[in-house]
């Protein structure tokens, strides 16, 4: 059956009426924000999820089958927590693996209690990924990040960083990508372009000056790398975002 926009709008009208009649008081967004903040910061000990029974009066009707209702809530929770974990620094591939595993487990749940057991573990397990990633960043990766931050306004190469840290470029590149999810070369480019965005939106310095300031060989090279990350030219970015600060 082809679902139409008109059918969804009709259901939306009925949903509005029902929620108005019962005086639905949804779970405050602050509760969701607190959960995601705990995940993002790896505070798994602080995460406590209420039983579904305590949530019933604060939920809209998202499914005709109550079991599906809780299933959908848990899927949404997994999705939100996964994104928060990545924002908190957890390795994306690990986050996606955990997300896939939890969704797969839901497929075998046949009771509300089983679904709730997955729901109650969701925030905790994603927060543990974040906490683990903060502990497992090797000293060399941390030193590389610091080196890039301190030398962002000049040309930086992988060879130069590796030499400074007294390791081989191949070893450092592999370690950096394994622990951060991005290549060392791309990380340097991304940070430079982010800094360029600040300069383009907050100053009127010429593009050639900004390019030289950030260690690009030529303005054309700067423009090429900028387009790679922002999908527009530096001039277009400035036109859209310029706001004189000083």
């Amino acid at each position: 059956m082809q679902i139409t926009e008109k059918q969804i709008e009709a259901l939306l009208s009925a949903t509005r009426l029902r929620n108005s009649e019962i005086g639905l008081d949804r779970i405050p967004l602050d509760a969701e924000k607190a959960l995601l903040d705990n995940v993002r910061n790896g505070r798994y000990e602080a995460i406590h999820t209420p039983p579904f029974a305590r949530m019933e009066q604060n939920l809209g009707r998202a499914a005709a089958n109550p079991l599906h209702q809780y299933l959908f809530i848990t899927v949404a929770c997994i999705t939100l927590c996964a994104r928060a974990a990545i924002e908190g620094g957890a390795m994306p591939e690990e986050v996606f693996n955990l997300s896939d595993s939890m969704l797969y487990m839901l497929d075998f749940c046949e009771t509300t209690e089983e679904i709730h057991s997955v729901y109650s573990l969701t925030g905790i397990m994603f927060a543990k990924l974040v906490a683990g990633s903060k502990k497992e960043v090797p000293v060399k990766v941390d030193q590389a990040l610091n080196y890039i931050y301190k030398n962002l306004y000049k040309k930086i190469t992988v060879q130069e960083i590796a030499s400074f840290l007294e390791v081989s470029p191949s070893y450092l590149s592999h370690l950096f990508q394994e622990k951060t999810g991005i290549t060392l070369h791309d990380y340097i480019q991304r940070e430079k372009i982010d800094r360029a965005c600040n300069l383009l939106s907050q100053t009127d310095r010429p593009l050639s000056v900004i390019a030289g300031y950030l260690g690009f060989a030529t303005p054309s090279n700067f423009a090429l790398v900028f387009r790679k990350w922002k999908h527009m030219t530096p001039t277009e970015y400035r036109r859209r975002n310029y706001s004189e600060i000083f």
Side-chain angles (χ1 to χ4, degrees):
M1 179 179 73
Q2 179 69 36
I3 302 299
T4 67
E5 186 176 344
K6 186 174 181 179
Q7 287 175 308
I8 294 177
E9 287 177 345
L11 181 58
L12 175 59
S13 295
T15 299
R16 286 172 177 154
L17 179 60
R18 173 187 177 275
N19 291 344
S20 176
E21 288 176 339
I22 66 175
L24 178 64
D25 185 19
R26 295 186 187 275
I27 298 172
L29 287 177
D30 284 348
E32 178 185 303
K33 182 178 183 299
L35 169 63
L36 298 182
D37 281 345
N38 284 331
V39 172
R40 204 173 285 114
N41 291 284
R43 295 191 295 258
Y44 56 88
E45 305 96 334
I47 296 176
H48 305 284
T49 51
F52 285 144
R54 283 179 49 194
M55 301 167 58
E56 285 181 353
Q57 301 303 314
N58 306 103
L59 298 174
R61 182 183 292 169
N65 185 326
L67 201 66
H68 290 170
Q69 170 104 339
Y70 297 127
L71 192 70
F72 296 158
I73 290 170
T74 305
V75 170
C77 185
I78 291 171
T79 302
L80 291 171
C81 288
R83 295 300 180 267
I86 292 174
E87 292 170 4
M91 294 289 289
E93 191 60 32
E94 284 301 300
V95 171
F96 294 139
N97 286 339
L98 176 57
S99 176
D100 289 346
S101 299
M102 300 193 90
L103 292 171
Y104 194 88
M105 185 63 70
L106 278 178
D107 200 34
F108 293 91
C109 293
E110 298 179 347
T111 66
T112 300
E113 291 73 21
E114 290 174 343
I115 295 174
H116 188 270
S117 64
V118 177
Y119 175 77
S120 63
L121 287 171
T122 297
I124 293 172
M125 293 190 70
F126 280 110
K128 284 185 175 180
L129 275 186
V130 175
S133 70
K134 293 182 184 300
K135 294 176 182 178
E136 293 173 2
V137 173
V139 172
K140 292 300 182 184
V141 172
D142 191 52
Q143 290 174 337
L145 292 170
N146 288 332
Y147 184 92
I148 294 167
Y149 180 82
K150 293 177 181 178
N151 295 277
L152 200 59
Y153 294 109
K154 70 173 192 176
K155 183 178 180 180
I156 310 173
T157 66
V158 175
Q159 175 67 50
E160 176 187 329
I161 301 173
S163 178
F164 178 79
L165 299 180
E166 300 181 333
V167 295
S168 73
S170 59
Y171 170 79
L172 179 61
S173 296
H174 174 77
L175 183 65
F176 191 95
Q177 184 168 6
E178 180 184 46
K179 297 303 179 181
T180 65
I182 185 173
T183 68
L184 184 51
H185 177 72
D186 279 351
Y187 180 85
I188 294 168
Q189 281 192 347
R190 188 186 70 183
E191 292 301 298
K192 283 180 177 288
I193 295 306
D194 284 347
R195 195 63 56 87
C197 287
N198 292 335
L199 294 171
L200 289 167
S201 63
Q202 298 174 11
T203 77
D204 59 358
R205 294 181 181 182
L207 299 187
S208 58
V209 172
I210 293 176
Y213 193 49
L214 288 166
F216 289 93
T218 64
S220 60
N221 177 245
F222 167 58
L224 186 67
V225 176
F226 192 96
R227 180 182 285 278
K228 168 187 170 182
W229 289 96
K230 298 300 177 182
H231 309 294
M232 67 180 77
T233 66
T235 300
E236 185 179 0
Y237 184 91
R238 170 170 275 169
R239 185 166 60 247
R240 294 186 184 185
N241 299 279
Y242 182 72
S243 176
E244 190 171 9
I245 304 299
F246 300 104

